[in-house]
Amino acid sequence: MNTPMSLRKFAGIALVAAALLALPFVMALAGTAWVRITNLAILYIFLSLGLNIVVGYAGLLDLGYIAFYGVGAYVYALLASPFFGLHLPFWVILPIGATLAALFGVLLGTPTLKLRGDYLAIVTMGFGEIVRIFLNNLSRPINITNGPQGIDRIDPVSVAGISFGHDSTFLGLDFSGPVKYYYLLLLLLLGVIMVNLRLQDSRIGRAWQAIREDETAARAVGIDTTRVKLLAFAMGACFGGIAGGMFSAIQAFISPESFVLTESVMVLSMVVLGGMGNVWGVIAGAVMLSYVPELLRYTVGPIQTAVFGRTLIAPEVIRMLLFGLALVLTMRFRPAGLWPMGARKREFAMTKLDAE
Amino acid sequence: MNDLLLEARGIVKRFGGVLALKDISLTIRVGEIYGLIGPNGAGKTTFFNVLTGLYVANSGSFTFAGAPLEIKAPHEVARAGIARTFQNIRLFANMTALENVMVGRHLRTRAGVVGAVFRDAGTRAEEAAIERRALELLHYVGISDRANDLARHLSYGDQRRLEIARALATEPKLLALDEPAAGMNATETAALRALIEGLRDDGLTILLIEHDVKFVMGLCDRVAVLDYGEKIAEDVPEQVQRNPKVIEAYLGGALA
Ligand SMILES: Nc1ncnc2c1ncn2[C@@H]1O[C@H](COP(=O)(O)OP(=O)(O)OP(=O)(O)O)[C@@H](O)[C@H]1O
Ligand SMILES: [Mg+2]
């Protein structure tokens, strides 16, 4: 009974892995743009999983999450670009960015510990905006962020002398920059998913969920809610910082415009749409909200031209309209998200206990 | 003096104009079941909330297990060895029964984020021990067959039991139960009574708020009566039942 099950599971995993490995080449057939879109989608998965720790596990509404993405992105940009003339390797910068983002997480968390719900949302939103405004204005008196112009010519990731900035051939296959990034992101994603799953099923993860369910009861059973909440903010921010670093490397150019409130709202939508607290649901939410708008971009315009002979409504408008409609419908009919968190079954030696 | 577990001295709690606790002093001995009764709004729950750090007393102090109890935060009171249940059941509704009890082990375990992510041998062993202990406690309170069910799907009586199991998981010296029999039928109440007696026999000290007079008088070693925030009696059940002040304020019809 046991072997066929695990064999099926193994076959399933192998199939998914093969599909994921082949994906960029299939996508490349439709245009390199789709590989880039996929890379951004993976970054959104990173962000959603990070925010899931804060919102999904610990139940703390955070509307300024994109600030940590910004911190990670700027750390990378400043440490690997001609701007300061620094060119550190990415495996040095990512941990620095993650740590700094985590510190910012604690910075945000500390004054908000006593706040809940709406109040927390407002303060975190303000925090996100403050970080963005700082990025925008820290060009004077000393130029640290280069203000609204942003930072360009950011170094691409480079592993063992192979730069991810341009194409290379390997085993007769042509690996473009985006394809290489795809594999790197996939690898990082695997780690992020594992960390998320393991955190969920741990002493700290249970403490987060307890706080989400009933903070008073959590305190009464001995959980130091201050510490545990700050830990959630820090862990969530840490993921955001890593994602931001990768974003910098992939885009080669960043400016404060990438870290606006609507981005925070977008990531939150991904978490909520997919199903707060459920890693697979959150991933599905992020994938959907990353691809659907892009699909619409490529279909809405041409369809209109084909049917009416011209574009009646701008694709961008229809995109946001459908997007909003989808969110409203989901929240109306599946308020816990498309794939809500279920009770995780545990297997244990019940029989042994009952026999006593 | 050695057999005193908890001593409250001059506890005062005010809510605006309402004096919910008026200079309450009482002592609970090691190993006894101590009842706290009184009419609605007498201040019983408020006493629990002050003791467990949810409310800050206006004045007064506690001594617990021979040392001053410094009530800075609820989790520190729990660490000192006081666990409680709530009058209006407060479980982690969307977690399983087992997970609820596992959360109760938080205080007595150590694994942090690093352990969670790397799952080293020590963390795995601790996790296994947490789960084993939680399961034992579910078994002890008689709901181990519901271990995998979400807390909100349990029956009312089972939820009360689960709350007790979660409190026990913190390894308390004093277990404070706020109306554990409320809403239970006769069978459930009898089972609860057996459970509480079993806990006492295992050496736990119990502070019990209850409205069911028969339940309290049959179970408790000593009983204190609160009325409008004042302690009007404290004695063995037989004496309390005969106390004219108590009969006037509270028992009246119940014993007539
Ligand atoms: N948080 C609060 N804010 C204001 N007043 C409160 C608060 N908590 C309790 N009170 C008041 O304090 C008094 C005592 O309430 P408490 O809940 O302690 O009574 P109780 O003895 O537990 O009653 P019951 O048997 O109904 O549970 C009541 O007058 C109540 O209205
Ligand atoms: Mg009460």
Side-chain angles (χ1 to χ4, degrees):
Chain A
M1 198 59 212
N2 218 343
T3 328
M5 271 299 283
S6 54
L7 207 71
R8 270 216 341 241
K9 203 173 160 189
F10 179 78
I13 291 174
L15 210 68
V16 171
L20 286 176
L21 286 176
L23 188 68
F25 291 98
V26 179
M27 290 254 169
L29 296 179
T32 319
W34 284 100
V35 184
R36 287 182 207 280
I37 291 168
T38 304
N39 286 347
L40 285 183
I42 297 178
L43 287 181
Y44 274 118
I45 298 177
F46 275 37
L47 291 174
S48 304
L49 287 175
L51 187 60
N52 181 47
I53 291 177
V54 183
V55 178
Y57 293 170
L60 304 162
L61 191 50
D62 183 352
L63 273 178
Y65 184 69
I66 211 69
F68 308 124
Y69 192 49
V71 169
Y74 269 86
V75 166
Y76 190 100
L78 295 176
L79 296 181
S81 73
F83 188 67
F84 283 145
L86 292 170
H87 298 280
L88 301 183
F90 86 104
W91 50 267
V92 172
I93 305 177
L94 283 192
I96 297 176
T99 310
L100 199 70
L103 284 178
F104 269 76
V106 173
L107 204 67
L108 163 67
T110 310
T112 60
L113 284 170
K114 292 223 151 58
L115 304 177
R116 291 185 209 188
D118 324 359
Y119 298 100
L120 184 60
I122 290 166
V123 174
T124 52
M125 191 168 95
F127 177 84
E129 284 300 279
I130 288 171
V131 168
R132 188 181 62 81
I133 290 166
F134 262 99
L135 294 176
N136 239 330
N137 292 288
L138 273 183
S139 49
R140 278 166 304 130
I142 328 163
N143 190 358
I144 300 175
T145 64
N146 209 24
Q149 285 97 330
I151 295 171
D152 60 358
R153 286 181 291 152
I154 300 168
D155 300 349
V157 168
S158 164
V159 178
I162 303 169
S163 165
F164 282 42
H166 38 72
D167 296 11
S168 46
T169 20
F170 183 66
L171 295 175
L173 282 172
D174 197 28
F175 288 84
S176 66
V179 169
K180 279 183 276 185
Y181 275 122
Y182 169 85
Y183 288 118
L184 179 59
L185 287 174
L186 206 60
L187 203 68
L188 284 174
L189 180 62
L190 224 60
V192 169
I193 292 175
M194 194 197 75
V195 169
N196 233 271
L197 285 173
R198 289 193 161 188
L199 279 176
Q200 177 174 31
D201 210 357
S202 72
R203 171 172 175 267
I204 299 294
R206 282 189 300 271
W208 285 335
Q209 292 162 59
I211 290 175
R212 176 192 71 203
E213 293 295 314
D214 189 328
E215 190 170 341
T216 302
R219 295 202 295 161
V221 293
I223 292 172
D224 182 350
T225 50
T226 305
R227 237 180 82 90
V228 171
K229 277 188 192 177
L230 285 182
L231 213 53
F233 276 117
M235 282 309 294
C238 180
F239 284 90
I242 294 173
M246 290 309 296
F247 177 71
S248 252
I250 293 174
Q251 299 293 94
F253 165 75
I254 56 163
S255 74
E257 246 172 84
S258 300
F259 312 107
V260 290
L261 175 63
T262 45
E263 287 292 309
S264 286
V265 173
M266 177 64 94
V267 177
L268 185 64
S269 305
M270 291 170 173
V271 174
V272 173
L273 176 78
M276 280 189 278
N278 177 9
V279 168
W280 306 113
V282 168
I283 292 174
V287 168
M288 271 177 48
L289 290 195
S290 302
Y291 279 109
V292 170
E294 297 300 332
L295 282 173
L296 290 175
R297 189 206 298 279
Y298 285 97
T299 51
V300 164
I303 287 176
Q304 284 190 70
T305 331
V307 177
F308 305 110
R310 64 199 168 95
T311 311
L312 293 174
I313 309 170
E316 185 64 17
V317 174
I318 295 199
R319 221 151 60 85
M320 288 322 280
L321 201 73
L322 289 177
F323 190 75
L325 192 68
L327 276 180
V328 170
L329 287 178
T330 317
M331 288 304 102
R332 169 65 185 77
F333 294 105
R334 293 192 70 99
L338 295 175
W339 296 273
M341 184 187 61
R344 272 159 299 121
K345 293 265 179 275
R346 283 166 192 277
E347 293 151 24
F348 35 62
M350 291 286 297
T351 37
K352 192 168 155 250
L353 261 173
D354 285 336
E356 280 166 18
Chain B
M1 281 307 281
N2 227 354
D3 63 344
L4 275 190
L5 182 63
L6 179 77
E7 185 180 4
R9 281 178 308 270
I11 306 295
V12 174
K13 179 65 196 172
R14 217 176 273 117
F15 294 110
V18 180
L19 198 53
L21 293 175
K22 208 190 272 176
D23 194 24
I24 298 294
S25 298
L26 51 81
T27 53
I28 298 175
R29 298 183 193 130
V30 173
E32 75 176 343
I33 302 180
Y34 187 98
L36 196 57
I37 64 171
N40 289 92
K44 306 180 294 291
T45 299
T46 303
F47 183 78
F48 266 37
N49 288 342
V50 168
L51 173 64
T52 54
L54 292 179
Y55 294 164
V56 179
N58 294 92
S59 63
S61 62
F62 291 98
T63 305
F64 182 70
L69 182 69
E70 285 179 45
I71 304 181
K72 282 186 295 219
H75 71 268
E76 283 173 13
V77 175
R79 177 174 299 282
I82 300 178
R84 68 172 291 176
T85 64
F86 293 87
Q87 183 170 353
N88 47 343
I89 308 179
R90 303 188 79 135
L91 288 167
F92 308 124
N94 291 303
M95 297 172 81
T96 64
L98 186 70
E99 284 168 338
N100 266 269
V101 185
M102 289 173 83
V103 171
R105 296 296 301 151
H106 182 91
L107 185 60
R108 307 294 175 198
T109 46
R110 322 170 38 105
V113 167
V114 176
V117 171
F118 292 101
R119 295 221 171 142
D120 54 294
T123 306
R124 284 202 308 273
E126 186 184 273
E127 244 338 82
I130 290 173
E131 188 172 320
R132 204 179 322 116
R133 182 73 189 129
L135 202 56
E136 277 168 17
L137 285 166
L138 284 180
H139 192 72
Y140 186 87
V141 301
I143 53 171
S144 58
D145 55 327
R146 311 300 309 268
N148 272 329
D149 293 327
L150 293 185
R152 66 187 159 92
H153 290 156
L154 299 191
S155 72
Y156 192 77
D158 286 351
Q159 290 192 356
R160 289 245 178 246
R161 285 165 177 276
L162 178 55
E163 228 192 353
I164 293 175
R166 184 181 68 185
L168 291 175
T170 67
E171 293 172 25
K173 296 190 183 84
L174 176 69
L175 178 63
L177 304 170
D178 198 345
E179 302 198 17
M184 283 191 173
N185 62 32
T187 329
E188 286 173 327
T189 308
L192 176 71
R193 185 183 165 143
L195 174 64
I196 295 175
E197 278 170 341
L199 288 170
R200 190 247 323 261
D201 295 342
D202 288 346
L204 200 61
T205 309
I206 291 159
L207 170 57
L208 175 72
I209 294 181
E210 195 44 74
H211 266 304
D212 185 335
V213 172
K214 233 175 70 193
F215 186 79
V216 171
M217 297 303 179
L219 189 57
C220 293
D221 299 302
R222 288 190 310 142
V223 175
V225 186
L226 292 191
D227 187 31
Y228 287 112
E230 247 179 307
K231 188 177 85 174
I232 57 173
E234 179 187 38
D235 213 327
V236 294
E238 300 79 58
Q239 294 300 321
V240 167
Q241 276 168 300
R242 266 185 239 132
N243 187 320
K245 261 157 95 186
V246 176
I247 292 171
E248 190 194 332
Y250 184 48
L251 297 177
L255 291 183

